[in-house]
Amino acid sequence: MLLTLMLALQDPLAARPDTLRPHHHALHYDITIAVSDTGNHFAGEVTTTWKLASADPVEVALDTVYRVVRVLVDGKENSRLHRTEFAVENGLVVIPHGKRAGDTLQTRIRYHGYPREGLVIRRTADAVTVFADNWPDRAHLWFPSQDHPDDKATVTFHIEAPPGHRVIANGTLLKVDSLPGGRTQWHYQLDRPVSTYNMVLGIAKFAVTPLPPAGCAIKCIPLSVWALAADSATAQIPFRRAGDIIDYLQGQLGPFPYPSLAHVESSTIFGGMENATAIFYDQRAMGTGRMSEETVAHETAHQWFGDAVTESDWHHLWLSEGFATFLAAEWCGHADGDSAMRADFAKMRATVIASPVTERPIIDPAATDLMKLLNSNNYPKGALVLRALQGMIGDSALWRGLRTYQSRFRDGNALSSDFAGVMSDAAGRDLTWFFREWLTQPGYPQLEVTKAYDGRAKRLTLTVRETQKPEWGTWTLPQLGFALDGEVRHADVAGRSTTVVFENVAHDPAAVTVDPDAQWLLTATVR
């Protein structure tokens, strides 16, 4: 057991550079929010059920702009000598208790204030819009939480809205209560555990358009578009094949992970945010009809990878963003043909080659700014890693592995080492070397190929040199394709120099093309 643990700690594919670690396990958040009719003030009460890992106090992150007015433990004042036992220290609500590891505990925190981030509140003369904008670790800027992707919990919402407004949140709408003054309270519940960055709400004067349900071959998934009333007509444009996207991905990956899916026009700072069951899209793009269908496919794919299966550490973000980028391109190929998909991957290669971030590895322990992880390494380069894997092990093994990975880690968390293990099983051979090269080395292979033809022996000899920077390391490229005037031959290439010999070559080829099917991220010159 100790040896296994030591090996895991040494494995760069299992690296966990995040400095934050969950202290206890949050099982369920029950979130009540009431936004005022005027101004940006709101009041909240959050009840959290915990599974304790130790007798240490519960530490709940909450932005310092809020005033905590009450804390209950198991429904009671947690007091000694008639004084409340909790402290607000450096953005943490610290709550001592008398329980031990393995016990469950419930905390209730009542607070109010004016959000500076995380909850975007905007007002016009006759309406208000309120949207949670949590990624990556900004959920605690509006509700007390253990704000890390490795701690997933179920969630219930009770959201009070002004007259004439509707509320969207994660999960299933249970009921809507009428309150005095025309206000309403909306109750949602999600029974599948998700990370706190996925726990969101939206309040606006929405126009809601139902779409035909998707995935009915397995289980019908209700779909809808929630748009600001003025944008309702143009906002529908990117979603004409939203159901087809789910049908395709469900066929490839397994059942849709959640009970429904809403596509929501919002005030997010991102082009799209994959919140489980309620994807938020940028108002400027969705509201004008300029948003692409590829964005819809990308965010829908996140419901499987990112939401249902979540990286255990932010530095493995490619397990979310690279997967969604790859799957959106695969959808494009399925819906619009192979040439469209190839163009998509070609654009990704150009982006990676031109990006200065390529000087860093995908799993980059030195990265400390989480926002800067939204880069070309985790999006297109991560997708191209899957593209290379697909070319190397074949379609059936790739999709079989993705389905197994999704099923095994659904509602939980994973590291790159977990994915490497699943794909090795799917391929029937150890692929650890592949993932270590592509995830922990910077750059990509840069090949120089020199050809020499022996007409008498009808033999073509290619000297393949990897000329990338020494600090990028070297790559192994099994069965790399070489098109000799269109006829494709394959050979293993590895390390700084490889000699490839092809027999029975009828004539000296005028053109030698390296990797004609564009399966690998590489550049090549031939002379």
Side-chain angles (χ1 to χ4, degrees), residues 240-355:
R240 64 185 180 88
R241 298 194 291 191
D244 296 335
I245 292 171
I246 287 183
D247 290 342
Y248 169 72
L249 293 174
Q250 187 168 247
Q252 298 294 84
L253 304 173
F256 187 76
Y258 302 109
S260 61
L261 184 61
H263 298 282
V264 185
E265 182 182 0
S266 75
S267 301
T268 178
I269 64 172
F270 304 109
M273 183 58 221
E274 64 267 18
N275 318 302
T277 77
I279 299 172
F280 285 3
Y281 300 95
D282 175 52
Q283 177 181 349
R284 291 162 297 183
M286 180 174 166
T288 58
R290 292 184 291 106
M291 193 176 73
S292 71
E293 183 181 87
E294 190 167 358
T295 299
V296 178
H298 179 105
E299 303 305 333
T300 302
H302 270 310
Q303 303 294 301
W304 283 268
F305 297 115
D307 296 355
V309 181
T310 308
E311 57 273 18
S312 296
D313 183 286
W314 284 121
H315 293 77
H316 297 256
L317 184 62
W318 86 281
L319 293 172
S320 173
E321 298 300 348
F323 281 43
T325 305
F326 172 80
L327 291 166
E330 288 288 314
W331 154 254
C332 184
H334 168 78
D336 299 323
D338 190 61
S339 61
M341 180 179 66
R342 285 175 173 271
D344 220 356
F345 282 120
K347 189 186 303 182
M348 293 182 205
R349 286 187 195 88
T351 297
V352 172
I353 289 170
S355 173

